[in-house]
Amino acid sequence: QVPLVESGGGLVQAGESLRLSCAASGSIFNIRAMGWYRQAPGKQRELVATIASGGTTNYADSMKGRFTISRDYAKNTVYLQMNSLKPEDTAVYYCNVVVWRGGPYNYWGQGTQVTVSS
């Protein structure tokens, strides 16, 4: 198991910003990627953004230009800066870590609620 501790969610108004953090605790090796997914009520979990071990980032189209993913390699922590938030960004945001142990293993955080009011 890879314990993941998320923080930074909350209630904001449309147009405001939030920064999510996710720290992978313990001595973890071979992290291939870290990222964020979200799940709104009644919808499937969807990709928000990922950052690979080499720094390559990937964003869902609807988040490009508004969200920025970054990583502190020394702290095994991934961040998601969310600007210009919209009500449709309301969801539970989940941290994801992919570790290579002879194959890819996915680990998930407990989720943090982001609510954007209009």
Side-chain angles (χ1 to χ4, degrees), residues 10-104:
L11 171 64
V12 296
Q13 293 187 331
E16 295 184 339
S17 299
L18 276 176
R19 188 187 192 216
L20 305 183
S21 299
C22 172
S25 61
S27 298
I28 304 164
F29 302 96
N30 293 327
I31 292 179
R32 293 302 178 93
M34 302 182 79
W36 293 93
Y37 292 73
R38 71 184 186 185
Q39 188 167 17
K43 295 186 178 181
Q44 291 187 331
R45 190 173 297 189
E46 62 175 352
L47 167 74
V48 175
T50 61
I51 182 165
S53 57
T56 302
T57 58
N58 180 47
Y59 295 91
D61 287 342
S62 61
M63 287 67 154
K64 288 180 181 178
R66 299 190 299 125
F67 292 7
T68 302
I69 190 169
S70 60
R71 181 177 165 183
D72 185 326
Y73 290 83
K75 297 180 179 180
N76 279 337
T77 299
V78 63
Y79 305 96
L80 184 69
Q81 178 66 43
M82 304 185 292
N83 298 329
S84 302
L85 283 162
K86 305 174 181 179
E88 51 264 42
D89 293 318
T90 296
V92 177
Y93 285 69
Y94 294 93
C95 176
N96 170 260
V97 172
V98 180
V99 176
W100 189 266
R101 292 173 175 163

Coordinates of all heavy atoms in Angstrom, one line a residue, residues 10-104:
G10 N -12.4 22.3 -0.8 CA -13.3 23.3 -0.1 C -14.4 23.8 -0.9 O -14.6 23.4 -2.0
L11 N -15.0 24.9 -0.4 CA -16.1 25.6 -1.1 C -15.6 26.9 -1.5 O -15.1 27.7 -0.7 CB -17.3 25.7 -0.1 CG -18.4 26.6 -0.6 CD1 -19.1 26.0 -1.9 CD2 -19.5 26.8 0.5
V12 N -15.7 27.2 -2.8 CA -15.4 28.5 -3.4 C -16.4 29.0 -4.3 O -17.3 28.2 -4.7 CB -14.0 28.4 -4.1 CG1 -12.9 28.1 -3.2 CG2 -14.1 27.5 -5.3
Q13 N -16.3 30.2 -4.7 CA -17.2 30.8 -5.7 C -16.6 30.7 -7.1 O -15.4 30.6 -7.2 CB -17.6 32.2 -5.4 CG -18.3 32.4 -4.1 CD -18.8 33.9 -3.9 OE1 -18.1 34.8 -4.4 NE2 -19.9 34.1 -3.2
A14 N -17.5 30.7 -8.1 CA -17.0 30.6 -9.5 C -16.0 31.8 -9.7 O -16.2 32.9 -9.3 CB -18.2 30.8 -10.4
G15 N -14.9 31.4 -10.4 CA -13.9 32.3 -10.7 C -12.7 32.3 -9.8 O -11.7 32.9 -10.1
E16 N -12.9 31.7 -8.6 CA -11.9 31.6 -7.6 C -10.9 30.5 -7.9 O -11.1 29.7 -8.8 CB -12.5 31.6 -6.2 CG -13.2 32.9 -5.8 CD -13.8 32.9 -4.4 OE1 -13.9 31.8 -3.8 OE2 -14.0 34.0 -3.9
S17 N -9.9 30.3 -7.0 CA -8.9 29.3 -7.1 C -8.8 28.4 -5.9 O -9.2 28.8 -4.8 CB -7.6 30.0 -7.4 OG -7.6 30.8 -8.5
L18 N -8.3 27.3 -6.1 CA -8.0 26.3 -5.1 C -6.7 25.6 -5.5 O -6.4 25.4 -6.6 CB -9.1 25.3 -4.9 CG -10.3 25.6 -4.0 CD1 -11.3 24.5 -4.0 CD2 -9.9 26.0 -2.6
R19 N -6.0 25.1 -4.4 CA -4.8 24.3 -4.7 C -4.9 23.0 -3.9 O -5.0 23.1 -2.7 CB -3.5 25.1 -4.3 CG -2.2 24.4 -4.7 CD -1.0 25.1 -4.1 NE 0.2 24.6 -4.6 CZ 1.4 24.5 -3.9 NH1 1.4 24.8 -2.6 NH2 2.5 24.1 -4.5
L20 N -4.9 21.9 -4.6 CA -4.9 20.6 -3.9 C -3.5 20.1 -3.8 O -2.6 20.3 -4.6 CB -5.7 19.6 -4.8 CG -7.2 20.0 -5.1 CD1 -7.9 18.9 -5.9 CD2 -8.0 20.4 -3.9
S21 N -3.3 19.3 -2.7 CA -2.0 18.7 -2.5 C -2.2 17.2 -2.2 O -3.3 16.8 -1.6 CB -1.3 19.3 -1.3 OG -1.0 20.7 -1.5
C22 N -1.3 16.4 -2.5 CA -1.4 15.0 -2.2 C 0.0 14.5 -2.0 O 0.9 14.5 -2.8 CB -2.0 14.2 -3.4 SG -1.9 12.4 -3.2
A23 N 0.2 14.0 -0.7 CA 1.6 13.5 -0.3 C 1.5 12.0 -0.2 O 0.7 11.5 0.5 CB 2.0 14.2 1.0
A24 N 2.5 11.4 -0.9 CA 2.7 9.9 -0.7 C 3.6 9.7 0.4 O 4.8 10.0 0.3 CB 3.2 9.3 -2.0
S25 N 3.1 9.1 1.5 CA 4.0 9.0 2.7 C 4.8 7.7 2.6 O 4.5 6.8 1.9 CB 3.1 9.0 3.9 OG 2.2 7.9 3.9
G26 N 5.9 7.7 3.4 CA 6.8 6.6 3.4 C 7.8 6.6 2.4 O 7.9 7.5 1.5
S27 N 8.7 5.6 2.4 CA 9.7 5.4 1.3 C 9.1 4.7 0.1 O 8.8 3.5 0.2 CB 10.9 4.7 1.9 OG 11.5 5.4 3.0
I28 N 9.0 5.5 -0.9 CA 8.3 4.9 -2.1 C 9.3 5.0 -3.3 O 9.8 6.1 -3.5 CB 7.0 5.6 -2.4 CG1 6.1 5.6 -1.2 CG2 6.4 5.1 -3.6 CD1 5.0 6.6 -1.3
F29 N 9.5 3.9 -3.9 CA 10.4 3.9 -5.1 C 9.6 3.6 -6.4 O 8.5 3.1 -6.3 CB 11.5 2.9 -4.9 CG 12.3 3.2 -3.6 CD1 12.0 2.5 -2.5 CD2 13.3 4.1 -3.6 CE1 12.8 2.7 -1.3 CE2 14.1 4.3 -2.5 CZ 13.8 3.6 -1.3
N30 N 10.2 4.0 -7.4 CA 9.6 3.7 -8.8 C 8.3 4.3 -9.0 O 7.4 3.6 -9.5 CB 9.6 2.2 -9.0 CG 11.0 1.6 -9.1 OD1 11.9 2.2 -9.6 ND2 11.2 0.4 -8.6
I31 N 8.1 5.5 -8.6 CA 6.8 6.2 -8.9 C 6.9 6.6 -10.4 O 7.8 7.3 -10.8 CB 6.6 7.4 -8.1 CG1 6.3 7.0 -6.6 CG2 5.4 8.2 -8.6 CD1 6.1 8.2 -5.7
R32 N 6.0 6.1 -11.2 CA 6.0 6.4 -12.6 C 5.2 7.6 -13.0 O 5.5 8.3 -13.9 CB 5.5 5.2 -13.4 CG 6.4 4.0 -13.3 CD 7.9 4.3 -13.8 NE 8.8 3.3 -13.8 CZ 9.0 2.4 -14.8 NH1 8.4 2.5 -15.9 NH2 9.9 1.5 -14.6
A33 N 4.1 7.8 -12.2 CA 3.3 9.0 -12.5 C 2.5 9.3 -11.3 O 2.2 8.4 -10.4 CB 2.4 8.7 -13.7
M34 N 2.1 10.6 -11.2 CA 1.2 11.0 -10.1 C 0.1 11.9 -10.8 O 0.4 12.5 -11.9 CB 1.9 11.8 -9.1 CG 3.0 11.1 -8.4 SD 3.8 12.0 -7.0 CE 2.6 11.8 -5.7
G35 N -1.1 11.9 -10.3 CA -2.1 12.6 -11.0 C -3.4 12.8 -10.2 O -3.4 12.5 -9.0
W36 N -4.3 13.5 -10.8 CA -5.6 13.8 -10.2 C -6.7 13.3 -11.2 O -6.6 13.5 -12.4 CB -5.7 15.3 -10.0 CG -4.8 15.8 -8.9 CD1 -3.5 16.3 -9.1 CD2 -5.0 15.8 -7.5 NE1 -3.0 16.6 -7.9 CE2 -3.9 16.3 -6.9 CE3 -6.1 15.4 -6.7 CZ2 -3.7 16.5 -5.5 CZ3 -6.0 15.6 -5.3 CH2 -4.8 16.1 -4.7
Y37 N -7.7 12.8 -10.5 CA -9.0 12.4 -11.2 C -10.1 13.0 -10.4 O -9.9 13.4 -9.3 CB -9.1 10.9 -11.3 CG -8.1 10.2 -12.2 CD1 -6.8 10.1 -11.9 CD2 -8.5 9.7 -13.5 CE1 -5.8 9.6 -12.7 CE2 -7.6 9.1 -14.3 CZ -6.3 9.1 -14.0 OH -5.3 8.5 -14.8
R38 N -11.3 13.1 -11.0 CA -12.4 13.6 -10.3 C -13.7 12.8 -10.6 O -13.8 12.2 -11.7 CB -12.6 15.1 -10.5 CG -13.1 15.4 -11.9 CD -13.1 16.9 -12.1 NE -13.8 17.3 -13.4 CZ -13.8 18.5 -13.9 NH1 -13.3 19.6 -13.2 NH2 -14.4 18.8 -15.0
Q39 N -14.6 12.9 -9.7 CA -15.9 12.2 -9.9 C -17.0 13.1 -9.4 O -17.1 13.4 -8.2 CB -15.9 10.8 -9.2 CG -17.1 10.0 -9.6 CD -17.0 8.6 -9.2 OE1 -16.1 8.2 -8.4 NE2 -17.8 7.7 -9.7
A40 N -17.9 13.5 -10.3 CA -19.0 14.3 -9.9 C -20.2 13.4 -9.7 O -20.2 12.2 -10.1 CB -19.4 15.3 -11.1
P41 N -21.2 13.8 -8.9 CA -22.3 13.0 -8.6 C -23.0 12.4 -9.9 O -23.3 13.2 -10.8 CB -23.3 13.9 -7.8 CG -22.4 14.9 -7.2 CD -21.3 15.1 -8.2
G42 N -23.2 11.1 -9.9 CA -23.9 10.5 -11.0 C -23.0 10.4 -12.3 O -23.5 9.9 -13.3
K43 N -21.8 10.7 -12.2 CA -20.9 10.6 -13.3 C -19.7 9.6 -13.0 O -19.4 9.3 -11.9 CB -20.3 11.9 -13.7 CG -21.4 12.9 -14.2 CD -20.8 14.2 -14.7 CE -21.9 15.1 -15.3 NZ -21.3 16.3 -15.8
Q44 N -19.0 9.2 -14.1 CA -17.9 8.3 -13.9 C -16.7 9.2 -13.5 O -16.6 10.4 -13.8 CB -17.6 7.6 -15.2 CG -18.6 6.5 -15.5 CD -18.2 5.7 -16.7 OE1 -17.5 6.1 -17.6 NE2 -18.7 4.4 -16.7
R45 N -15.7 8.5 -12.9 CA -14.5 9.2 -12.6 C -13.7 9.5 -13.9 O -13.7 8.7 -14.8 CB -13.6 8.3 -11.7 CG -12.4 8.9 -11.1 CD -11.6 8.0 -10.1 NE -12.5 7.7 -9.0 CZ -12.0 7.1 -7.9 NH1 -10.8 6.7 -7.8 NH2 -12.9 6.8 -6.9
E46 N -13.2 10.7 -13.9 CA -12.5 11.2 -15.1 C -11.1 11.8 -14.8 O -10.9 12.2 -13.7 CB -13.4 12.2 -15.9 CG -13.6 13.5 -15.1 CD -14.3 14.6 -15.9 OE1 -14.5 14.4 -17.1 OE2 -14.7 15.6 -15.3
L47 N -10.3 11.7 -15.8 CA -9.0 12.3 -15.7 C -9.0 13.8 -15.6 O -9.8 14.5 -16.3 CB -8.2 11.9 -17.0 CG -6.8 12.7 -17.1 CD1 -5.8 12.2 -16.2 CD2 -6.4 12.6 -18.6
V48 N -8.2 14.3 -14.7 CA -8.0 15.8 -14.6 C -6.6 16.1 -15.2 O -6.5 16.8 -16.2 CB -8.1 16.3 -13.2 CG1 -7.8 17.8 -13.1 CG2 -9.5 16.0 -12.6
A49 N -5.6 15.5 -14.6 CA -4.2 15.8 -15.1 C -3.3 14.8 -14.5 O -3.5 14.3 -13.4 CB -3.8 17.2 -14.7
T50 N -2.2 14.5 -15.2 CA -1.2 13.6 -14.7 C 0.2 14.2 -15.0 O 0.3 15.0 -15.9 CB -1.2 12.2 -15.3 OG1 -1.0 12.3 -16.7 CG2 -2.6 11.5 -15.1
I51 N 1.2 13.8 -14.2 CA 2.5 14.2 -14.4 C 3.4 12.9 -14.3 O 3.4 12.3 -13.3 CB 3.0 15.3 -13.5 CG1 4.4 15.8 -13.8 CG2 2.8 15.0 -12.0 CD1 4.8 17.1 -13.1
A52 N 4.2 12.7 -15.3 CA 5.0 11.5 -15.3 C 6.3 11.7 -14.6 O 6.7 12.9 -14.3 CB 5.3 11.1 -16.8
S53 N 7.1 10.7 -14.4 CA 8.3 10.8 -13.6 C 9.3 11.7 -14.3 O 10.1 12.4 -13.6 CB 8.9 9.4 -13.4 OG 9.2 8.8 -14.7
G54 N 9.3 11.8 -15.6 CA 10.1 12.7 -16.3 C 9.6 14.1 -16.4 O 10.4 15.0 -16.9
G55 N 8.4 14.4 -15.9 CA 7.9 15.7 -15.9 C 6.9 16.0 -17.0 O 6.3 17.1 -17.0
T56 N 6.6 15.0 -17.8 CA 5.6 15.2 -18.9 C 4.2 15.3 -18.3 O 3.9 14.5 -17.4 CB 5.6 14.1 -19.9 OG1 7.0 14.0 -20.5 CG2 4.6 14.3 -21.0
T57 N 3.5 16.3 -18.7 CA 2.1 16.5 -18.1 C 1.1 16.2 -19.2 O 1.3 16.3 -20.4 CB 1.9 17.9 -17.6 OG1 2.2 18.8 -18.7 CG2 2.9 18.2 -16.5
N58 N -0.1 15.8 -18.7 CA -1.2 15.5 -19.5 C -2.5 16.1 -18.8 O -2.7 15.9 -17.6 CB -1.4 14.0 -19.7 CG -2.5 13.7 -20.6 OD1 -2.7 14.3 -21.7 ND2 -3.3 12.7 -20.2
Y59 N -3.3 16.8 -19.6 CA -4.5 17.4 -19.0 C -5.7 17.0 -19.9 O -5.7 16.8 -21.1 CB -4.4 18.9 -19.1 CG -3.4 19.5 -18.2 CD1 -2.1 19.7 -18.7 CD2 -3.6 19.9 -16.9 CE1 -1.1 20.3 -17.9 CE2 -2.7 20.5 -16.1 CZ -1.4 20.7 -16.6 OH -0.4 21.2 -15.8
A60 N -6.8 16.9 -19.2 CA -8.1 16.8 -19.9 C -8.4 18.1 -20.6 O -8.0 19.2 -20.1 CB -9.2 16.5 -18.9
D61 N -9.0 18.0 -21.7 CA -9.2 19.2 -22.5 C -9.9 20.4 -21.8 O -9.5 21.5 -21.9 CB -10.0 18.9 -23.8 CG -9.2 18.1 -24.8 OD1 -7.9 18.1 -24.7 OD2 -9.8 17.5 -25.7
S62 N -10.9 20.0 -21.0 CA -11.6 21.1 -20.3 C -10.9 21.7 -19.2 O -11.3 22.8 -18.7 CB -12.9 20.5 -19.7 OG -12.6 19.5 -18.8
M63 N -9.7 21.2 -18.8 CA -8.9 21.8 -17.7 C -7.7 22.5 -18.3 O -7.1 23.3 -17.5 CB -8.4 20.7 -16.8 CG -9.4 20.1 -15.9 SD -10.6 19.1 -16.8 CE -11.2 18.0 -15.6
K64 N -7.4 22.3 -19.5 CA -6.2 23.0 -20.1 C -6.4 24.5 -20.0 O -7.4 25.1 -20.3 CB -6.0 22.6 -21.6 CG -5.6 21.2 -21.7 CD -5.4 20.8 -23.2 CE -5.0 19.4 -23.4 NZ -4.9 19.0 -24.8
G65 N -5.3 25.2 -19.5 CA -5.3 26.6 -19.4 C -5.8 27.1 -18.1 O -5.6 28.3 -17.7
R66 N -6.5 26.3 -17.3 CA -7.1 26.7 -16.0 C -6.4 25.9 -14.9 O -6.2 26.5 -13.8 CB -8.6 26.4 -16.0 CG -9.4 27.1 -17.0 CD -10.9 27.0 -16.7 NE -11.3 25.6 -16.7 CZ -12.0 25.0 -15.7 NH1 -12.2 25.7 -14.6 NH2 -12.4 23.7 -15.9
F67 N -6.0 24.7 -15.1 CA -5.4 23.9 -14.1 C -4.0 23.6 -14.4 O -3.6 23.5 -15.5 CB -6.1 22.5 -14.0 CG -7.5 22.6 -13.5 CD1 -8.2 23.7 -13.2 CD2 -8.2 21.4 -13.2 CE1 -9.5 23.8 -12.8 CE2 -9.5 21.4 -12.7 CZ -10.2 22.6 -12.5
T68 N -3.2 23.5 -13.3 CA -1.7 23.2 -13.5 C -1.3 22.2 -12.5 O -1.5 22.4 -11.3 CB -0.9 24.5 -13.3 OG1 -1.3 25.5 -14.2 CG2 0.6 24.2 -13.5
I69 N -0.7 21.1 -13.0 CA -0.2 20.1 -12.1 C 1.3 20.2 -12.0 O 2.0 20.6 -12.9 CB -0.6 18.7 -12.7 CG1 -0.3 17.6 -11.6 CG2 0.1 18.4 -14.0 CD1 -0.9 16.2 -12.0
S70 N 1.7 20.0 -10.8 CA 3.2 20.1 -10.5 C 3.5 19.0 -9.4 O 2.7 18.4 -8.8 CB 3.6 21.5 -10.0 OG 2.9 21.8 -8.9
R71 N 4.8 18.8 -9.3 CA 5.3 17.7 -8.4 C 6.5 18.2 -7.7 O 7.4 18.7 -8.3 CB 5.5 16.5 -9.2 CG 5.9 15.3 -8.4 CD 6.1 14.0 -9.3 NE 6.8 13.0 -8.6 CZ 7.1 11.8 -9.2 NH1 6.7 11.6 -10.5 NH2 7.8 10.9 -8.6
D72 N 6.6 17.8 -6.4 CA 7.8 18.0 -5.6 C 8.4 16.6 -5.5 O 7.9 15.8 -4.7 CB 7.5 18.6 -4.3 CG 8.8 18.9 -3.5 OD1 9.7 18.1 -3.5 OD2 8.8 19.9 -2.7
Y73 N 9.4 16.3 -6.2 CA 10.0 14.9 -6.2 C 10.6 14.5 -4.9 O 10.4 13.4 -4.4 CB 11.0 14.8 -7.3 CG 10.5 14.8 -8.7 CD1 10.2 16.0 -9.3 CD2 10.2 13.7 -9.4 CE1 9.6 16.1 -10.6 CE2 9.6 13.7 -10.7 CZ 9.4 14.9 -11.3 OH 8.8 14.9 -12.5
A74 N 11.2 15.5 -4.2 CA 11.8 15.2 -2.9 C 10.8 14.8 -1.9 O 11.0 14.0 -1.0 CB 12.6 16.4 -2.5
K75 N 9.6 15.4 -2.0 CA 8.5 15.2 -1.0 C 7.5 14.2 -1.5 O 6.5 13.9 -0.7 CB 7.8 16.5 -0.6 CG 8.8 17.5 0.0 CD 8.0 18.8 0.3 CE 8.9 19.8 1.0 NZ 8.1 21.1 1.3
N76 N 7.7 13.6 -2.7 CA 6.7 12.7 -3.2 C 5.3 13.3 -3.1 O 4.3 12.7 -2.7 CB 6.7 11.4 -2.5 CG 7.8 10.5 -3.0 OD1 8.3 10.6 -4.2 ND2 8.2 9.5 -2.3
T77 N 5.2 14.6 -3.5 CA 3.9 15.3 -3.4 C 3.5 15.9 -4.7 O 4.4 16.4 -5.5 CB 4.1 16.5 -2.4 OG1 4.4 15.9 -1.1 CG2 2.8 17.3 -2.3
V78 N 2.3 15.8 -5.1 CA 1.7 16.3 -6.3 C 0.7 17.4 -6.0 O 0.0 17.3 -5.0 CB 1.1 15.2 -7.2 CG1 -0.1 14.6 -6.5 CG2 0.8 15.8 -8.6
Y79 N 0.7 18.4 -6.7 CA -0.2 19.6 -6.5 C -1.1 19.8 -7.7 O -0.7 19.5 -8.9 CB 0.6 20.9 -6.3 CG 1.6 20.8 -5.1 CD1 3.0 20.4 -5.4 CD2 1.3 21.0 -3.8 CE1 3.9 20.3 -4.4 CE2 2.2 20.9 -2.8 CZ 3.5 20.5 -3.1 OH 4.4 20.4 -2.0
L80 N -2.2 20.4 -7.5 CA -3.1 20.8 -8.6 C -3.6 22.2 -8.3 O -4.4 22.4 -7.4 CB -4.3 19.8 -8.7 CG -5.2 20.1 -9.9 CD1 -4.5 19.8 -11.2 CD2 -6.5 19.3 -9.8
Q81 N -3.1 23.1 -9.0 CA -3.5 24.5 -8.9 C -4.7 24.7 -9.9 O -4.6 24.5 -11.1 CB -2.4 25.5 -9.3 CG -2.8 26.9 -9.3 CD -3.1 27.4 -7.9 OE1 -2.4 27.1 -6.9 NE2 -4.2 28.2 -7.8
M82 N -5.8 25.1 -9.3 CA -7.1 25.2 -10.1 C -7.5 26.7 -10.1 O -7.8 27.2 -9.0 CB -8.2 24.3 -9.5 CG -7.8 22.8 -9.4 SD -9.1 21.8 -8.9 CE -9.3 22.3 -7.2
N83 N -7.5 27.3 -11.2 CA -7.9 28.7 -11.4 C -9.2 28.8 -12.2 O -9.6 27.8 -12.9 CB -6.8 29.5 -12.1 CG -5.5 29.5 -11.3 OD1 -5.5 29.4 -10.0 ND2 -4.4 29.6 -12.0
S84 N -9.8 29.9 -12.1 CA -11.1 30.2 -12.8 C -12.0 29.0 -12.7 O -12.6 28.5 -13.7 CB -10.7 30.4 -14.3 OG -9.8 31.5 -14.4
L85 N -12.3 28.6 -11.5 CA -13.1 27.5 -11.2 C -14.6 27.8 -11.6 O -15.1 28.9 -11.6 CB -13.1 27.1 -9.7 CG -11.8 26.3 -9.4 CD1 -11.6 26.3 -7.8 CD2 -11.9 24.9 -9.9
K86 N -15.2 26.7 -12.1 CA -16.6 26.8 -12.6 C -17.4 25.8 -11.8 O -16.9 24.9 -11.2 CB -16.6 26.4 -14.1 CG -15.7 27.2 -15.0 CD -15.7 26.6 -16.4 CE -14.8 27.3 -17.3 NZ -14.8 26.8 -18.7
P87 N -18.8 26.1 -11.7 CA -19.6 25.2 -11.0 C -19.5 23.7 -11.5 O -19.6 22.8 -10.7 CB -21.0 25.7 -11.3 CG -20.8 27.2 -11.4 CD -19.5 27.3 -12.2
E88 N -19.2 23.5 -12.8 CA -19.1 22.2 -13.3 C -17.8 21.5 -12.9 O -17.6 20.3 -13.2 CB -19.2 22.2 -14.8 CG -18.3 23.2 -15.5 CD -19.0 24.5 -15.9 OE1 -19.8 25.0 -15.0 OE2 -18.8 25.0 -17.0
D89 N -16.9 22.2 -12.2 CA -15.8 21.6 -11.6 C -16.0 20.9 -10.3 O -15.2 20.3 -9.7 CB -14.6 22.6 -11.4 CG -14.1 23.2 -12.7 OD1 -13.9 22.4 -13.7 OD2 -13.9 24.4 -12.8
T90 N -17.3 21.1 -9.8 CA -17.6 20.5 -8.5 C -17.6 19.0 -8.6 O -18.2 18.4 -9.5 CB -19.1 20.9 -8.1 OG1 -19.1 22.4 -7.9 CG2 -19.5 20.2 -6.9
A91 N -16.8 18.4 -7.7 CA -16.6 17.0 -7.7 C -15.7 16.6 -6.5 O -15.2 17.4 -5.8 CB -15.9 16.5 -9.0
V92 N -15.6 15.3 -6.3 CA -14.6 14.7 -5.4 C -13.3 14.5 -6.3 O -13.4 13.8 -7.3 CB -15.1 13.4 -4.7 CG1 -13.9 12.9 -3.8 CG2 -16.3 13.7 -3.9
Y93 N -12.3 15.1 -5.8 CA -11.0 14.9 -6.5 C -10.1 13.9 -5.8 O -9.9 13.9 -4.6 CB -10.3 16.3 -6.5 CG -10.9 17.2 -7.5 CD1 -12.2 17.8 -7.3 CD2 -10.2 17.6 -8.7 CE1 -12.8 18.6 -8.2 CE2 -10.8 18.4 -9.6 CZ -12.1 19.0 -9.4 OH -12.7 19.8 -10.3
Y94 N -9.6 12.9 -6.6 CA -8.8 11.8 -6.1 C -7.4 11.9 -6.6 O -7.2 12.1 -7.8 CB -9.4 10.5 -6.6 CG -10.8 10.2 -6.0 CD1 -12.0 10.6 -6.7 CD2 -10.9 9.6 -4.8 CE1 -13.2 10.3 -6.2 CE2 -12.2 9.3 -4.2 CZ -13.3 9.7 -4.9 OH -14.6 9.4 -4.4
C95 N -6.5 11.7 -5.7 CA -5.1 11.6 -6.1 C -4.8 10.2 -6.5 O -5.3 9.2 -6.0 CB -4.2 12.0 -4.9 SG -2.5 11.8 -5.1
N96 N -3.9 10.1 -7.5 CA -3.5 8.8 -8.0 C -2.0 8.7 -8.2 O -1.4 9.6 -8.6 CB -4.2 8.5 -9.4 CG -3.7 7.3 -10.1 OD1 -2.8 7.4 -11.0 ND2 -4.1 6.1 -9.7
V97 N -1.5 7.6 -7.8 CA 0.0 7.3 -7.9 C 0.1 6.0 -8.6 O -0.5 5.0 -8.3 CB 0.7 7.3 -6.6 CG1 2.1 6.9 -6.7 CG2 0.6 8.7 -5.9
V98 N 1.0 5.9 -9.6 CA 1.3 4.7 -10.3 C 2.7 4.3 -10.0 O 3.7 5.1 -10.2 CB 1.2 4.9 -11.9 CG1 1.5 3.6 -12.5 CG2 -0.2 5.3 -12.2
V99 N 2.9 3.2 -9.4 CA 4.2 2.7 -9.0 C 4.5 1.4 -9.8 O 3.6 0.6 -10.1 CB 4.1 2.3 -7.5 CG1 5.5 1.7 -7.0 CG2 3.8 3.5 -6.6
W100 N 5.8 1.3 -10.2 CA 6.2 0.2 -11.0 C 6.8 -0.8 -10.1 O 7.9 -0.6 -9.5 CB 7.2 0.6 -12.1 CG 7.5 -0.5 -13.0 CD1 8.5 -1.4 -13.0 CD2 6.7 -0.8 -14.2 NE1 8.4 -2.3 -14.0 CE2 7.4 -2.0 -14.8 CE3 5.6 -0.3 -14.7 CZ2 6.9 -2.5 -15.9 CZ3 5.1 -0.9 -15.9 CH2 5.7 -2.0 -16.5
R101 N 6.2 -2.0 -10.0 CA 6.7 -3.1 -9.2 C 6.6 -4.4 -10.0 O 5.8 -5.3 -9.7 CB 5.9 -3.2 -7.9 CG 6.2 -2.1 -6.9 CD 5.3 -2.1 -5.7 NE 5.6 -1.0 -4.8 CZ 4.8 -0.6 -3.8 NH1 3.7 -1.1 -3.6 NH2 5.2 0.4 -3.0
G102 N 7.3 -4.4 -11.1 CA 7.2 -5.5 -12.0 C 6.1 -5.3 -13.0 O 5.9 -6.1 -13.9
G103 N 5.3 -4.3 -12.7 CA 4.1 -3.9 -13.5 C 3.5 -2.7 -12.8 O 3.9 -2.4 -11.7
P104 N 2.6 -2.0 -13.5 CA 2.0 -0.8 -12.9 C 1.0 -1.1 -11.8 O 0.1 -1.9 -12.0 CB 1.4 -0.1 -14.1 CG 1.0 -1.3 -15.0 CD 2.1 -2.3 -14.8

